[in-house]
Amino acid sequence: MQTEKRYCQCCGHPIHGRSDKKFCDDGCRNTFNNHQNAVQNKEMRCINTILKRNRAILLAKLAGKEQLKITKEQLVVMGFHLKYMTHQQVLPTGLTAQFCYELGIVILEEKYCLIVREN
């Protein structure tokens, strides 16, 4: 019985073993899958970096307080990205807060916002 030669999808070396085997070893399998997911993972890493920076800025401004009124401009100057948040929630006061993990902002007026902690 003649068997067709198969080659690793990552490195191109001949494959021995099971008929449905696609890679010569775990290293090649991991390398192949990492390259396949590289674009998506890069985008997710960039967004997570922005979210972490947003949280760090809010945490630094609060400095142990429960809430703080601040201008949006102050946050933006520190590198805060208003469009990157993890979730939003309606507070008991009826205002909507946009959260970056457990810390959030409530837009009060055109210029001001309130930094709050999630309960």
Side-chain angles (χ1 to χ4, degrees), residues 87-92 94-99 101-102 105-106 116-119:
H87 64 287
Q88 65 181 20
Q89 177 179 337
V90 177
L91 301 176
L95 297 171
T96 301
Q98 296 180 345
F99 283 91
Y101 302 109
E102 82 283 11
I105 60 169
V106 178
V116 295
R117 291 182 189 274
E118 190 172 39
N119 294 337

Side-chain angles (χ1 to χ4, degrees), residues 60-74:
K61 287 311 262 180
L62 266 183
K65 301 173 190 156
E66 281 302 309
Q67 56 185 347
L68 174 71
K69 187 175 180 179
I70 189 171
T71 65
K72 285 194 268 184
E73 183 181 347
Q74 286 177 294

